[in-house]
Each structure stands twice: as C-alpha cells, then as structure tokens.
Amino acid sequence: MRRPSHLLITTIAIVAIAAGCSGPAQVTWTFPPGGGATAAPATPGTGSPAPAPSSGPVVAADEAIDLEAFDLGFTPGAIEVEAPGRYAVTLKNIGVIPHDVTFPDGTTTGPVDAGASATVEVDVPAAGLTFICSIPGHAQAGMQGTITVKATDTAAASPSAAADDHGGPLLSADVTADPAAPAHVTYDATAPALLPGNVHDIDLVITESKMTVAKGFVQSVWTFGGTVPGPVIRVKVGDTIRVHLKNPATNQLPHSIDFHASQVAWNDEMRSIDPGKELVYEWTADYAGVWMYHCGTTPALHHIANGMYGMVIVEPKEGLPKVDHEFAIVQSEWYLGPQ
C-alpha cells in the first residue's frame, strides 16, 4: 500500500512584471511612463502622453526648483515656472531608500541617499517637462511629476497636459518567443530534506541578472541565491536560523529580506542593505507551518514580482509523517513580453 504525498504550498501574489536591473544613472526602466519601449522618458509633444504627476498642489518657481523625494513620491509633484529657461533643480531625499530625479534628456541627479541632496541644471522649454525617479519600479509606484510654463492657453503651451493620461497607450501585445534565447531551466519541485542540527548558517547572495523565465523569454530578474523562487529552507520548531544576506557591490539596488516565519524587529533584521553590504538575520522557528519569505525593500511588490521570494518549511519537533513524495510549490507569475 502506497503512502500519500505531502504538498507544501506557499502562495505569493504577483502583481507586476520583472523589471530591468540597470542602474539609475542609465535612465532605463521596464515600462517607460507614457508607454513605448524607449530608453528615456516620453517628451511632451512627441505623441506619448506624459506620466501623471504626483499628488500635490501646483507650486510656482522662479530660477530655482526645490523637490523632496519620499517613499514613494515627489513633493511637489506639479511645478509651474514663469517662463522657459534654465533652472537649478535641487532634490532632497527625505525617504529611507535612494531616489533620483531624472529628466527626458537624461539629466539626472543620480541616486541620492536618504537624508542627502543633489542639484542639477535643466532647460525647461515652453512645452514643459516631465520628471521621474528612474530607479527601477519607483516611477511606476508614483514617483513622476511635471514642470509646466505659465501660459494663457495651458493646453497649447503643454500638449501633454491636454492628453488623456489615464495610463497611456497599451504596451506591445506582441509576445513572441526568441528562438535564440538560452534554454529554460525548470525548478525542481521536490521538497528538500530537513536541515541537520539545531543551528543553521545559511548564505543568501542576492543577484541582479538576466534569466530565461520561460522557453524563449529572457527577462532581468533579482534573486535570492540565483533561482526564482529562492531556495526552500526546511527546519524544525526550536531551530535557530542565521541567514547571512549578501548584496554584492556589482548590484545596483538596495535589497532586504523578510521571513514571515520569524518574530524580529522590522527595522533591524529586515532593513535594506546597499550594494557591497551584508546583514545577519537571525531568528528562531517558534511555530510549525509553511511560510513565505521575500524582499521587503520599497516598493516591495516590485522586488517580489521581480523574483525575490521563497518558502520556509518549519516542521513540528516530532517531524512530519513519512510519505512517498513531497513537493514544495510556490505560486507566482511572469508576464511575458517586452521588458
């Protein structure tokens, strides 16, 4: 008589597609505001609607423009200047993660750390300008804004202001596999064995790289340990788990980790670490169950959707009943198509 199988499942809601891993100074992103697979923001008057500005009042400016970046938005998000010309734009980051301000011609402050500020000069034409934070995922999360020039006929002075900007045109619907893409490596769903001992030191190295996520489709992903989902960690109640989280200096973005099986301070073990940094996340497995872990760096949904998630199995102290087969399944999604 055959024994049953264990099916261990953790469900992760994925609401965004994998994004590019380019650095902020390169002015690239997965889905440019206003649509179109371009490497720079849509410029007002080019036919693509400009991104909707962050919420907030229209603020007048003369020769200098002051912006504050918070997590995740700009204040003010809509700025009005008296006339076209060259303006100094100062960005002060009052958030807890790096941000930048980037304009359609590529002018950017570059990443500005929390608590710091930076200034650039930009030419504002009569048609006005849009601006975004170009760090992957931040523009899509709301870090977009506009600079307009005061005029009697606002629509004439800024064509983008008259456009229907409820999300812009549809992204390309052409989902065609690339026959030259590297082979797709499937993820083995067999549940791993219980880790031996009572204390477990685990290295998790964060990667930002390209991966074939389905046959013929290569996307830029962020991972824990080079796989999506990340490695399954299997322990028992009472065990101590000591995760050495490493964000190599070759990466572009800060990352973090949040174990739903743990009970630790969010502002300690769960804090984001910059490229080149390491963090020890130590916790005790107090409750049996199947748990999610993921990157919690803002915007968390973007980091999760880009591949940073995995499963923890915590067995009861007495263990689980013996079965013929065990499978560990993590539900997630990829939306195939252009980056």
Side-chain angles (χ1 to χ4, degrees):
M1 177 173 154
R2 295 180 62 81
R3 292 172 293 192
S5 299
H6 281 153
L7 186 63
L8 307 167
I9 301 176
T10 184
T11 300
I12 298 175
I14 301 299
V15 297
I17 186 169
C21 295
S22 54
Q26 294 175 291
V27 202
T28 60
W29 44 76
T30 310
F31 295 119
T38 61
T43 302
T46 61
S48 294
S54 304
S55 60
V58 173
V59 175
D62 39 36
E63 295 181 356
I65 297 172
D66 292 323
L67 283 173
E68 287 186 340
F70 59 90
D71 306 324
L72 288 157
F74 290 112
T75 182
I79 299 164
E80 184 179 77
V81 296
E82 289 292 329
R86 192 166 186 82
Y87 292 82
V89 179
T90 298
L91 178 71
K92 181 179 180 181
N93 185 357
I94 62 172
V96 297
I97 58 175
H99 296 296
D100 69 33
V101 61
T102 298
F103 294 93
D105 64 356
T107 298
T108 180
T109 59
V112 178
D113 291 334
S117 61
T119 301
V120 294
E121 291 190 348
V122 63
D123 291 313
V124 179
L129 284 177
T130 59
F131 58 87
I132 66 167
C133 176
S134 70
I135 292 175
H138 290 201
Q140 295 92 331
M143 298 196 72
Q144 309 175 27
T146 59
I147 301 175
T148 57
V149 177
K150 188 175 182 180
T152 303
D153 185 353
T154 306
S158 179
S160 64
D164 177 5
D165 61 3
H166 296 290
L170 290 174
L171 298 166
S172 171
D174 182 17
V175 181
T176 305
D178 178 5
H184 175 230
V185 178
T186 57
Y187 194 104
D188 185 0
T190 302
L194 181 72
L195 290 175
N198 299 315
V199 179
H200 315 288
D201 281 275
I202 301 169
D203 280 347
L204 275 184
V205 180
I206 296 165
T207 68
E208 297 176 355
S209 62
K210 292 188 180 298
M211 178 183 293
T212 304
V213 300
K215 185 177 180 180
F217 293 93
V218 177
Q219 293 182 176
S220 296
V221 302
W222 307 330
T223 80
F224 292 114
T227 63
V228 179
V232 176
I233 298 171
R234 187 169 186 172
V235 296
K236 63 182 181 298
V237 169
D239 286 2
T240 297
I241 299 88
R242 191 178 296 124
V243 173
H244 300 263
L245 184 67
K246 301 177 180 180
N247 192 1
T250 52
N251 288 344
Q252 299 291 328
L253 299 172
H255 296 286
S256 63
I257 194 166
D258 174 1
F259 286 97
H260 286 199
S262 71
Q263 299 180 88
V264 297
W266 66 267
N267 57 348
D268 186 11
E269 282 88 346
M270 299 183 197
R271 70 184 185 273
S272 297
I273 56 172
D274 292 329
K277 303 294 184 180
E278 298 184 13
L279 174 71
V280 175
Y281 187 130
E282 184 172 325
W283 55 283
T284 301
D286 294 320
Y287 299 100
V290 178
W291 312 83
M292 173 185 181
Y293 70 84
H294 63 90
C295 180
T297 299
T298 305
L301 285 180
H302 190 80
H303 287 248
I304 295 169
N306 215 30
M308 302 189 77
Y309 55 85
M311 176 194 287
V312 174
I313 302 169
V314 181
E315 291 191 19
K317 283 187 177 181
E318 65 274 15
L320 293 171
K322 296 297 181 183
V323 293
D324 290 320
H325 302 284
E326 289 184 322
F327 302 99
I329 296 180
V330 179
Q331 176 180 317
S332 59
E333 297 175 357
W334 292 114
Y335 293 88
L336 303 179
Q339 282 276 3

